[in-house]
Amino acid sequence: MPPRRRTRAFVGVVFAVCALWGSTLLWRRSEAVEEKRTVVLTAYETQGLRPAWLRQIVEQYASDDYADLIDAILLVWNAPEEEPPSDLPAKVQVIRAAANSLNNRWLLTPEYAQPGPVIVLDNDLLLSKSGIRCLQAVQRDHPDRLIGPYVRRREDAIYVLDELMSRSSPYNFVLPRALIGHTELLDLYRNPELAQLHAYVDEQEAHCDDLLLNLAVSNTTGVAPLRVALPPSSVRDFATYCSPLDRAQSAGLADQTDRWKYRTECLQHLLSQAGFSTESSPEDEDVALCSQDGESYDLVSEVGLPRWRSMSTARAIDLCPELVPERDLAAESRLGLGRELVEYCPELDPGTTEWIDALIDKPLCGDGGAIQDPHLLASAKHQCGAWCMWDLRVRGKTGWRLTGSCFERFEGGHPECDKWFYQRPHMHL
Ligand SMILES: *[C@@H]1O[C@H](CO)[C@@H](O)[C@H](O)[C@H]1NC(C)=O
């Protein structure tokens, strides 16, 4: 063989060997990264309404109906002294934790979850198939982000409690009420450098494992989480609609003043540790707005309140009819101003109903007589249930206070209201 041809033949052989080797590697690789779609739930309650919700929730996710969307279900059982619920569907793998710790769902999960997208859900809401599909569709395109519908923001190192639904707003954190993220992201929580912060999360009152997760991920990826608007009617929200109707359950609700203080304290602590800084907590404002069936989505900069509300259309009467008082069966029949107000402030408990009635019936105190103040109403929409209402057009302690018979205007503070100033939404009209 002349040298040139020999060279060519040699190159050909090398090429063929390489191709073969490469394709074996590829094959091995695709075998190694075969992804599983896991759902993770956490529970510890054996009393009250939650055990029944949990059963309903896991039975749905384990049903044949969901089989094309969910490969595995992990239930982190956080009550070491109690037996987990019996007779759960075979698809549910129960992980019994040695101690009741908020860290368990992040520290244990990666050991059990196959590599792939993990949906972490609270045990008080149920997502429809379209909701699961939507999370998975967005996650496929954004594997480097935590993704979910419930978000919060910070202002510098101040935590903001606002729900961020009545106005478009930047956000920094996604809440694990419902979120999806790849195991590689969730694994970042296990970083041994964070051991002290794991301990802190268990001791501190704010239950801020979620803030630590968001920081650990964004510190590495450099990107904010991504907010998603789930498809219409895709959330059965037991916590929001049923808990307020059950006095025994609601009695333990954290005082919101303390909650805001503790969340801020936690955020400030975390931002001073483990090389974290405000740069570890970038913000975004875009929303992945899912289609009705959850198959597709558009990235948009603004989503209106009615669309946010539409995610969860099942009401107490659908979710927990046994808790609904007779007289409430007639609700939902408000018209005009009342209808506008309940869109912003759903009537989840008798207190809100009373408050909406007051806004409709009670005039401004003083010479105005029986007039509705449009400025009061505009501000009220963002301060559901508040008897001290801040005027969101101005930054100071100015607003209206509901007395027995009318709304009284005050400026520069009011002795009955100043202690609620922290509740003023962080927005301006
Ligand atoms: C966060 O990022 C900073 C800067 O890149 C780095 O020094 C630090 O180790 C990171 N912290 C963690 C817990 O990954």
Side-chain angles (χ1 to χ4, degrees):
M1 227 190 266
R4 272 187 86 126
R5 297 225 1 228
R6 213 183 292 158
T7 313
R8 253 196 230 152
F10 176 72
V11 167
V13 168
V14 167
F15 182 79
V17 166
C18 282
L20 191 67
W21 183 65
S23 66
T24 319
L25 260 192
L26 260 182
W27 175 77
R28 283 232 204 97
R29 199 175 144 74
S30 68
E31 184 186 50
V33 298
E34 201 215 318
E35 302 226 319
K36 287 262 161 70
R37 297 156 304 171
T38 306
V39 163
V40 174
L41 298 157
T42 308
Y44 65 89
E45 299 90 349
T46 55
Q47 307 286 318
L49 303 171
R50 285 175 184 258
W53 297 346
L54 178 65
R55 186 167 293 278
Q56 201 178 325
I57 289 166
V58 293
E59 281 176 0
Q60 275 293 319
Y61 294 150
S63 68
D64 290 347
D65 206 22
Y66 282 68
D68 58 329
L69 296 174
I70 298 174
D71 300 309
I73 301 170
L74 306 180
L75 171 62
V76 178
W77 183 250
N78 247 347
E81 314 287 310
E82 309 274 355
E83 285 301 308
S86 55
D87 304 325
L88 294 177
K91 192 169 182 176
V92 182
Q93 184 184 2
V94 179
I95 305 170
R96 296 190 67 164
N100 182 6
S101 161
L102 291 165
N103 295 307
N104 288 338
R105 60 178 156 178
W106 315 118
L107 296 182
L108 293 175
T109 302
E111 270 179 43
Y112 293 87
Q114 307 278 340
V118 177
I119 300 182
V120 179
L121 295 163
D122 270 356
N123 62 1
D124 54 22
L125 90 178
L126 173 59
L127 293 190
S128 68
K129 290 186 70 177
S130 62
I132 303 265
R133 224 182 270 122
C134 156
L135 288 175
Q136 291 174 342
V138 178
Q139 194 276 338
R140 266 194 296 278
D141 294 344
H142 301 277
D144 59 340
R145 297 171 85 169
L146 295 173
I147 294 154
Y150 307 109
V151 297
R152 290 291 181 271
R153 62 181 291 222
R154 61 179 176 82
E155 271 184 359
D156 295 324
I158 305 284
Y159 186 80
V160 177
L161 283 177
D162 301 357
E163 274 203 340
L164 311 181
M165 290 211 285
S166 61
R167 283 196 122 202
S168 70
S169 158
Y171 53 85
N172 308 81
F173 313 109
V174 60
L175 303 182
R177 252 207 109 193
L179 71 73
I180 187 167
H182 198 278
T183 34
E184 278 174 23
L185 294 186
L186 303 189
D187 261 342
L188 293 169
Y189 195 91
R190 287 160 28 116
N191 180 347
E193 281 174 51
L194 302 179
Q196 288 203 340
L197 293 178
H198 297 156
Y200 174 82
V201 156
D202 268 337
E203 287 155 18
Q204 206 261 358
E205 290 86 344
H207 297 170
C208 56
D209 56 315
D210 53 346
L211 298 183
L212 180 54
L213 175 74
N214 278 274
L215 289 177
V217 171
S218 290
N219 191 60
T220 300
T221 62
V223 287
L226 178 57
R227 186 180 199 181
V228 56
L230 294 172
S233 307
S234 60
V235 185
R236 291 173 72 82
D237 186 344
F238 296 103
T240 301
Y241 293 98
C242 300
S243 295
L245 300 176
D246 183 35
R247 264 174 277 116
Q249 280 275 349
S250 325
L253 278 186
D255 176 328
Q256 288 286 302
T257 322
D258 289 347
R259 183 159 174 75
W260 169 70
K261 255 185 1 218
Y262 290 139
R263 295 287 280 184
T264 296
E265 178 189 288
C266 173
L267 176 61
Q268 294 181 353
H269 180 74
L270 297 182
L271 287 176
S272 70
Q273 304 284 313
F276 292 145
S277 65
T278 48
E279 309 228 318
S280 323
S281 175
E283 67 176 33
D284 201 342
E285 197 162 345
D286 282 350
V287 178
L289 176 66
C290 272
S291 60
Q292 179 81 39
D293 59 9
E295 300 274 5
S296 61
Y297 67 92
D298 293 314
L299 272 187
V300 301
S301 57
E302 211 171 322
V303 172
L305 178 69
R307 179 62 182 80
W308 287 122
R309 290 264 184 253
S310 76
M311 296 193 305
S312 139
T313 50
R315 294 290 174 263
I317 188 71
D318 314 304
L319 300 171
C320 44
E322 70 282 5
L323 299 179
V324 180
E326 289 284 323
R327 61 175 179 75
D328 281 5
L329 295 177
E332 305 252 345
S333 56
R334 289 189 185 271
L335 296 169
L337 177 59
R339 171 169 287 183
E340 210 178 304
L341 285 167
V342 295
E343 186 167 297
Y344 283 84
C345 305
E347 294 178 82
L348 301 177
D349 57 279
T352 309
T353 297
E354 201 184 322
W355 178 81
I356 288 179
D357 288 341
L359 278 170
I360 295 171
D361 299 338
K362 304 215 162 137
L364 280 185
C365 301
D367 37 282
I371 58 156
Q372 298 281 2
D373 181 342
H375 302 303
L376 165 66
L377 294 171
S379 286
K381 288 175 179 172
H382 306 280
Q383 303 177 71
C384 300
W387 288 50
C388 289
M389 209 105 64
W390 304 103
D391 186 338
L392 299 181
R393 295 169 301 166
V394 295
R395 281 170 195 268
K397 294 182 178 170
T398 289
W400 303 266
R401 174 174 165 267
L402 180 58
T403 66
S405 56
C406 54
F407 279 93
E408 173 189 53
R409 173 90 179 165
F410 63 85
E411 301 197 2
H414 186 289
E416 297 290 312
C417 290
D418 290 356
K419 62 171 178 279
W420 303 111
F421 189 60
Y422 79 92
Q423 282 192 338
R424 185 195 184 286
H426 290 233
M427 57 174 280
H428 296 279
L429 291 179

